Amino acid sequence: MLTKENIRTVLKALDFYSVAGFENKYQATYGDSTDSSFALTVDLKNEKFVYPEGIHFDRGTTLDFHQQESFVVFECIARLFAVGYRPENLWLEGKNYQGQDLGWIDILVKDNIETEYLIIECKTSDSTIKEDEFSKHWKRTLANGDQLFRYFNTYSKAQYLCLYTADFVDEKLTDTYHLITLKDNEEYLRSDKRLKSYKSLRENQGSAEEFFEVWKNTYGSDFSTNGMIEKDSKPFYIGQKKYSIDDLCRTDCRACTKKEWKISLKTPLPM
């Protein structure tokens, strides 16, 4: 689990550096030029995460150390910045206005014309227990869509939903995420005319419950575990990389075999 006790080591792994003259401040700088660069800062003395100007907040409960989930949100944002997303692309704790569970989205990524692109829900990991928050919520996602699909009710133009966590085990920082694609694979749909599509739901303003059913029944609850924040990732090009058979296996399920890898092709993976 990420905590204030291991935060210095986590910051080192994320390439943060100590701010000159401030023993308890750490910072990372992003951007490709002086004019467009920006910084992400951690103030250990005051136990605060200092996000760059341009990020939108509906509320600020993840801005300090008072809850463990805030560390995961911070780590995820650092990863997003590292692959090229900018502050103006991120909306933290966006309010969900639809359904019974209103809630607040941890991270909403919008494109450069401010259309929602990616919903990220962050959960804590704990390797010392059998079922941590990340595992619990992924089971709920598989069962009924859980928070990710409920939040999609409000931000229904999103193309991707992601359940994300980060952990610190054996002095090593690790990221784990399950990425759901809400884009159709046209070739796969042509193989069976009975299959329902995301496209038809978008054209007819389908509900989040209907999108969940398409994910479950048409695409077999398929998800990816890479393509979003790796070193060769780019902003707004999720999944745009060449995949090996081994990658496709991991995309399907933890217990898949080589003979079962083709099921992952239900999710469009541009080559």
Side-chain angles (χ1 to χ4, degrees):
M1 183 177 289
L2 305 190
T3 67
K4 62 183 179 181
E5 284 72 31
N6 58 37
I7 187 64
R8 290 180 189 270
T9 308
V10 169
L11 292 172
K12 183 178 180 180
L14 293 171
D15 296 324
F16 276 64
Y17 53 87
S18 179
V19 178
F22 297 89
E23 181 181 353
N24 291 304
K25 279 191 178 181
Y26 290 80
Q27 193 171 81
T29 303
Y30 307 93
D32 53 9
S33 69
T34 302
D35 292 338
S36 64
S37 65
F38 56 94
L40 181 58
T41 306
V42 180
D43 183 346
L44 298 183
K45 180 179 180 181
N46 295 300
E47 299 190 347
K48 292 184 179 296
F49 300 110
V50 184
Y51 291 106
E53 184 178 348
I55 291 184
H56 180 90
F57 297 89
D58 271 357
R59 65 174 187 174
T61 57
T62 59
L63 299 182
D64 57 36
F65 292 10
H66 84 278
Q67 59 181 7
Q68 299 304 134
E69 191 175 288
S70 298
F71 291 88
V72 181
V73 172
F74 159 77
E75 196 272 352
C76 183
I77 291 171
R79 296 292 192 190
L80 292 170
F81 284 161
V83 299
Y85 292 96
R86 295 190 56 81
E88 53 267 29
N89 298 133
L90 303 188
W91 188 335
L92 304 189
E93 297 191 273
K95 189 175 182 179
N96 181 42
Y97 295 95
Q98 303 291 332
Q100 295 180 349
D101 180 11
L102 298 182
W104 307 81
I105 299 173
D106 288 326
I107 304 171
L108 176 65
V109 179
K110 292 189 174 185
D111 64 21
N112 293 320
I113 57 172
E114 296 193 358
T115 300
E116 51 259 35
Y117 175 75
L118 164 66
I119 293 171
I120 303 176
E121 186 64 19
C122 296
K123 299 299 176 187
T124 57
S125 290
D126 188 345
S127 60
T128 65
I129 61 176
K130 184 176 181 179
E131 190 173 55
D132 56 19
E133 287 300 304
F134 179 81
S135 299
K136 287 179 184 177
H137 280 274
W138 181 244
K139 284 186 177 181
R140 294 173 188 170
T141 302
L142 292 171
N144 58 30
D146 198 37
Q147 290 173 305
L148 285 175
F149 280 88
R150 291 202 298 273
Y151 294 162
F152 180 71
N153 262 321
T154 295
Y155 303 98
S156 58
K157 292 182 180 180
Q159 299 177 41
Y160 300 93
L161 309 176
C162 179
L163 190 68
Y164 185 95
T165 191
D167 203 356
F168 189 75
V169 182
D170 297 329
E171 299 299 310
K172 184 178 180 181
L173 176 63
T174 60
D175 307 282
T176 301
Y177 60 90
H178 293 168
L179 182 70
I180 298 169
T181 300
L182 300 181
K183 298 169 66 176
D184 283 311
N185 184 314
E186 298 295 342
E187 193 66 32
Y188 173 67
L189 291 175
R190 281 193 286 270
S191 69
D192 188 341
K193 299 298 183 181
R194 297 169 297 178
L195 296 173
K196 293 183 178 180
S197 68
Y198 294 129
K199 180 180 179 181
S200 64
L201 293 180
R202 291 189 187 277
E203 290 174 346
N204 295 287
Q205 297 183 326
S207 66
E209 291 78 10
E210 290 175 302
F211 273 84
F212 170 74
E213 291 300 322
V214 170
W215 177 57
K216 179 180 178 181
N217 297 323
T218 298
Y219 292 102
S221 302
D222 194 39
F223 65 95
S224 301
T225 59
N226 53 27
M228 184 177 76
I229 55 163
E230 289 69 34
K231 288 185 178 180
D232 57 349
S233 298
K234 295 180 180 180
F236 308 111
Y237 280 86
I238 288 176
Q240 305 289 314
K241 59 173 281 187
K242 292 185 177 181
Y243 286 82
S244 68
I245 289 178
D246 287 340
D247 286 327
L248 293 173
C249 256
R250 288 193 296 273
T251 300
D252 180 22
C253 68
R254 307 292 74 77
C256 77
T257 66
K258 298 288 183 178
K259 293 181 180 179
E260 296 170 334
W261 70 273
K262 288 186 178 179
I263 191 172
S264 295
L265 293 178
K266 292 178 182 178
T267 296
L269 298 173
M271 305 300 282

